[in-house]
Amino acid sequence: MTDRYAVFGNPVGHSKSPMIHADFAGQTGQDIDYTAIEPPIGELAAAWQAFCAEGGRGANVTVPFKADAFELCDTLSHRARRAGAVNTLILGGNGRTYGDTTDGVGLVRDLAYHRVALAGKRVLIVGAGGAVRGILEPLLGEQPSEVVVVNRTAEKARQLGEDFADLGTIKGGGFDSLDGKFDVVINGTSASLSGDLPPLPDDLFANGAWAYDMMYGVEPTVFLTWAGPRGAKLLDGLGMLVEQAAESFYLWRNQRPDTAPVRARLRQSLNYGS
């Protein structure tokens, strides 16, 4: 019997998740059907309940529903509680909904895939929204020497620093508080989607530093286009998308797919505009 899964988002027509999970299922011999569902804003819980009533077993959740997904869950993983957001839903055999977040794991695994070292490194994260909150615990688990979070609203960044201070050396503030150079700079804002560039200094990157944008597209993002001439090696968030999906697939099916061929196919699909 085919098991049903989905991604919930609004908008969601652009989502690559159905293609990714179809590839994972083909690789691992899993009989699943994975579709994209676009509930009206504010109606995720009703859409999830309807999906479960029709045989749904689990789902991914993307913008703008991750906080809504957190609220509808009966049980939460430790990392979801810490992040305050859920991107993976699982319907238990008892009819209860379990929530987890795989975004941070996806980021860390993507960095590892590209041999980007975090241990002992100075890391800057730009932005203090839900996407950043979701990556901080796994990132700090890699034991960087320091994590600095900066945001246009400095208080939000400072709050994140306080919330995660038990996990490592982390502080937050405004852009005017930046000092020194960084080994890894991660853009966790959605500014790339609107073509905006955060107000970052030109001398941000240490020798051999990496610039990572959690967004991705056919062309390099505005942030990466800026970072390249300033000496940084560049990565976008396509690999993070694949790796977080692989972790969700593992939670659902207890099978860990090979992400390398899926990465290659997804990159090719972007290049050909499909």
Side-chain angles (χ1 to χ4, degrees):
M1 179 178 174
T2 301
D3 291 330
R4 296 188 60 201
Y5 296 88
V7 55
F8 290 96
N10 188 333
V12 79
H14 66 286
S15 176
K16 302 294 184 183
S17 293
M19 183 181 87
I20 292 169
H21 285 281
D23 279 2
F24 289 164
Q27 251 189 53
T28 57
Q30 298 292 298
D31 185 11
I32 72 169
D33 175 66
Y34 188 107
T35 57
I37 298 174
E38 187 172 308
I41 302 299
E43 296 186 22
L44 175 66
W48 167 246
Q49 290 163 6
F51 179 67
C52 292
E54 295 165 1
R57 297 280 304 277
N60 290 125
V61 182
T62 188
V63 176
F65 294 124
K66 291 183 182 181
D68 296 333
F70 181 89
E71 295 299 330
L72 71 81
C73 290
D74 300 302
T75 308
L76 294 163
S77 71
H78 168 79
R79 59 190 179 188
R81 286 195 301 272
R82 196 87 206 218
V86 160
N87 81 333
T88 304
L89 296 171
I90 304 167
L91 183 66
N94 57 2
R96 293 168 66 83
T97 298
Y98 175 82
D100 204 343
T101 181
T102 64
D103 287 332
V105 171
L107 171 67
V108 168
R109 287 192 182 147
D110 188 35
L111 290 169
Y113 181 88
H114 292 284
R115 296 187 172 90
V116 179
L118 292 173
K121 303 298 183 180
R122 195 165 189 243
V123 179
L124 173 66
I125 303 176
V126 183
V132 168
R133 188 176 190 91
I135 66 171
L136 284 176
E137 182 180 23
L139 195 73
L140 286 161
E142 296 299 303
Q143 298 185 314
S145 64
E146 181 183 35
V147 172
V148 177
V149 181
V150 291
N151 192 59
R152 291 182 192 272
T153 306
E155 183 53 38
K156 289 184 68 176
R158 280 194 288 269
Q159 188 62 55
L160 281 184
E162 292 175 10
D163 290 348
F164 288 85
D166 60 309
L167 300 180
T169 303
I170 179 173
K171 65 180 181 181
F175 288 95
D176 59 355
S177 68
L178 277 173
D179 66 304
K181 297 181 183 295
F182 292 86
D183 302 296
V184 181
V185 180
I186 299 171
N187 181 27
T189 74
S190 58
S192 294
L193 299 178
S194 56
D196 293 331
L197 182 68
L200 296 167
D202 287 332
D203 59 349
L204 195 62
F205 300 103
N207 186 40
W210 288 88
Y212 189 104
D213 199 321
M214 288 166 62
M215 302 292 115
Y216 69 93
V218 176
E219 302 294 334
T221 67
V222 171
F223 169 69
L224 294 180
T225 300
W226 172 84
R230 288 159 179 81
K233 295 176 282 188
L234 310 179
L235 287 172
D236 68 13
L238 181 141
M240 176 181 172
L241 173 70
V242 176
E243 294 294 342
Q244 63 82 24
E247 180 71 4
S248 294
F249 190 86
Y250 175 75
L251 292 172
W252 294 329
R253 311 300 297 182
N254 200 31
Q255 297 280 328
R256 198 168 289 287
D258 180 4
T259 57
V262 183
R263 287 166 171 270
R265 181 170 177 233
L266 184 54
R267 183 68 70 186
Q268 185 180 45
S269 77
L270 289 180
N271 291 341
Y272 283 94
S274 63

